[in-house]
Amino acid sequence: MFQAFLIKYGEIGVKGKNRYVFEDALVARMKQVLCGVDGAFRITKEQGRIYVEAEGAFDYEETVSALQRVFGIVGICPVVIAEDRGAEALAQEVLNYMGHMYGKETKTFKVHTRRANKNFPMESMEVNAELGGRILNAFPNLTVDVHKPDIMLHIELRRNIYIYSEVIPGPGGMPLGTNGRSMLLLSGGIDSPVAGYMVARRGVCIDAVYFHAPPYTSERAKQKVVDLAKKVAGYAGSIRLHVINFTDIQMYIYDECPRDELTIIMRRYMMRIAQQLAVDTGCLALITGESIGQVASQTVPSLVATNDVCLIPVFRPLIAFDKEDIVTIAKKIDTYETSILPYEDCCTTFVAKHPVTKPRVELIRKSEKALSGRIDELMSEALASEEIIEIS
C-alpha cells in the first residue's frame, strides 16, 4: 500500500537561515543508509518536508529499520500519495486508506488537513468536516474524538495529496556531520558504546581507540570491541578504530607506581594517547563512558585527576546516569549482549585490589615522575604500532 515515507524532523525546524545545511546533511545520511536496503529510492525536499519515495518494489520493514538509525529523524510516516483530481477523488482515496488500515477496528479518529495548495477548492476545515462525515458513514465502528483520538488522519494538500496516520518513532537528535568529529575511548564494556551513540546522536562523527594488552587480553576481547564498533556504526556511520598495544606501558606503570594508583595513572596515559590520536586525525574532543561513582576511577576526584592531562574537551554523556539507564540504551541499540560477553579488556585485567578513590592530583603527578625514564619512548612505540580497522 505504501510507496513513500514522510520524514519528520525536530530541532532542525527551529534553525534559521542555515536550516538547509542540516536538511542536506539529513538527506545525505538517509541516502547512505538506504544504499544497503533492497530497493531504489528518491529523496525530495518540498516546503519544509522531506519525502522518501520508492521507485518500484522495496523491502518495507528493512527500509523503516534503516531510517530508524538516522539521527535527526523524529518520525517516519508511511504515506499514500495521490494525484490531485478533486474533492470526490480525494474522499475515495481516504475511504480506501481507512478501510485498509482500520476497517474492522473500533477506534476514535480525527481528520487534520494542511492546505499548502491554495488552489484546492475547499478550505482545510471544510475538508476535515467532509471527510469526517464520509468516514463515519462508511465505518460505523469508528467515532470522532477531536481531543484525544486513537487515529490522527493527516491530509496534506500540496502539488500531490499525501495521506498518513501512522508515525513510527525515529532516534531524534541532529544529523551526522553537523557538529564535527570526536575520538571515543571504546572498551568492551557496556558504557562506552552507549556514550559513542549518544554523542553521535548530537551530530558528531566519531573515531574510536581501543587499548589492547596481549597476552593478558585475548584476540576474542579485541574482536568483541570490533563487533561493538560495528553496532555503533549502524547509527554513527563509518568509524575508524585505532587499536593501540598498551601492554608495555601497563607493565611499566605496574612495576614503577603505587598499587592503589595504578588505575588512575593507566587511565591518564590512555587519555594522553587518545588525545594525540585526536589531534592527529582532526577530532575536536574525547568521548568516554564514565559515570560518577560507578567505579573507583570515576569518583569526582578521580575524574579531576584524569582530566588533568587533557588539553581538549572531554565529553561524558553518561556522567549522571544510573547503570540501569545505561543498560536500557545498550539494549535499545543492540550492544548489550555483545558487551556482557566474558572477554576482559585491559581496563579490567590490571585493576588494583584496593584502588584509591580520592586521588590528589599533585600526588599522582609525583608518582608519575618514576616513569620519566622510558614512558615517552613507550608511548611513541605504541602510537607507531597502531592498527587501524575501518568499520563501515
Side-chain angles (χ1 to χ4, degrees), residues 25 28-34 66 68-72 171 174-178 180-182 184 186 193 196-208 226-241 389-392:
R29 177 62 179 154
M30 288 164 61
K31 289 179 178 178
Q32 189 178 50
V33 300
L34 290 175
Q68 284 184 302
R69 297 194 304 273
V70 177
F71 295 130
M174 300 293 287
L176 276 177
T178 56
R181 180 175 294 274
S182 294
L184 169 68
L186 182 62
Y197 163 85
M198 292 187 66
V199 172
R201 188 173 176 269
R202 300 307 303 163
V204 179
C205 294
I206 61 174
D207 282 359
V226 172
D227 293 340
L228 286 171
K230 289 178 180 178
K231 298 281 189 182
V232 176
Y235 293 90
S238 297
I239 295 174
R240 179 173 292 176
L241 176 62
I389 301 173
E390 299 286 350
I391 309 292
S392 61

Side-chain angles (χ1 to χ4, degrees), residues 116-183:
N117 176 10
K118 301 306 180 184
N119 293 322
F120 195 82
M122 300 170 67
E123 298 286 344
S124 297
M125 295 301 293
E126 294 175 315
V127 175
N128 292 342
E130 176 66 20
L131 293 179
R134 296 284 192 108
I135 292 169
L136 287 172
N137 290 334
F139 306 102
N141 52 309
L142 299 178
T143 56
V144 172
D145 183 344
V146 297
H147 299 294
K148 293 183 179 180
D150 300 321
I151 305 162
M152 179 66 80
L153 177 63
H154 295 270
I155 312 295
E156 298 206 356
L157 305 175
R158 299 177 180 273
R159 182 172 51 87
N160 289 317
I161 294 173
Y162 299 86
I163 304 167
Y164 67 95
S165 60
E166 184 181 11
V167 181
I168 302 167
M174 300 293 287
L176 276 177
T178 56
N179 272 305
R181 180 175 294 274
S182 294
M183 179 69 67

Side-chain angles (χ1 to χ4, degrees), residues 359-370:
R360 292 168 55 188
V361 173
E362 63 272 17
L363 294 181
I364 297 296
R365 290 175 181 169
K366 183 177 179 180
S367 297
E368 286 184 347
K369 289 181 179 179

Side-chain angles (χ1 to χ4, degrees), residues 147-286:
H147 299 294
K148 293 183 179 180
D150 300 321
I151 305 162
M152 179 66 80
L153 177 63
H154 295 270
I155 312 295
E156 298 206 356
L157 305 175
R158 299 177 180 273
R159 182 172 51 87
N160 289 317
I161 294 173
Y162 299 86
I163 304 167
Y164 67 95
S165 60
E166 184 181 11
V167 181
I168 302 167
M174 300 293 287
L176 276 177
T178 56
N179 272 305
R181 180 175 294 274
S182 294
M183 179 69 67
L184 169 68
L185 280 77
L186 182 62
S187 72
I190 296 171
D191 304 334
S192 57
V194 174
Y197 163 85
M198 292 187 66
V199 172
R201 188 173 176 269
R202 300 307 303 163
V204 179
C205 294
I206 61 174
D207 282 359
V209 54
Y210 166 61
F211 293 94
H212 193 39
Y216 302 100
T217 56
S218 67
E219 284 299 310
R220 289 183 299 179
K222 175 181 167 183
Q223 185 58 47
K224 174 182 173 181
V225 173
V226 172
D227 293 340
L228 286 171
K230 289 178 180 178
K231 298 281 189 182
V232 176
Y235 293 90
S238 297
I239 295 174
R240 179 173 292 176
L241 176 62
H242 305 260
V243 179
I244 299 294
N245 189 324
F246 201 61
T247 307
D248 291 344
I249 294 174
Q250 277 195 300
M251 294 307 300
Y252 188 46
I253 294 171
Y254 187 83
D255 290 339
E256 301 295 332
C257 296
R259 290 289 186 269
D260 62 342
E261 295 177 354
L262 289 177
T263 303
I264 292 296
I265 294 174
M266 288 178 185
R267 189 71 176 169
R268 281 163 63 94
Y269 278 96
M270 287 180 181
M271 298 295 273
R272 287 180 170 107
I273 291 173
Q275 181 171 252
Q276 186 59 57
L277 287 172
V279 171
D280 292 345
T281 57
C283 293
L284 303 176
L286 303 180

Side-chain angles (χ1 to χ4, degrees), residues 87-109:
E88 189 61 35
L90 169 61
Q92 191 55 55
E93 290 283 358
V94 168
L95 293 178
N96 291 341
Y97 177 91
M98 293 297 288
H100 179 87
M101 294 289 289
Y102 311 107
K104 297 181 180 180
E105 298 185 28
T106 302
K107 290 189 173 183
T108 60
F109 76 95

Side-chain angles (χ1 to χ4, degrees), residues 34-85:
L34 290 175
C35 283
V37 174
D38 183 16
F41 302 90
R42 179 164 51 96
I43 301 176
T44 57
K45 296 195 299 180
E46 179 183 333
Q47 295 178 311
R49 289 286 195 267
I50 297 177
Y51 297 98
V52 178
E53 297 182 45
E55 299 178 329
F58 72 106
D59 188 315
Y60 176 90
E61 298 294 338
E62 189 182 8
T63 302
V64 171
S65 177
L67 292 172
Q68 284 184 302
R69 297 194 304 273
V70 177
F71 295 130
I73 294 177
V74 299
I76 304 159
C77 308
V79 299
V80 169
I81 302 177
E83 293 182 9
D84 182 359
R85 293 181 285 112

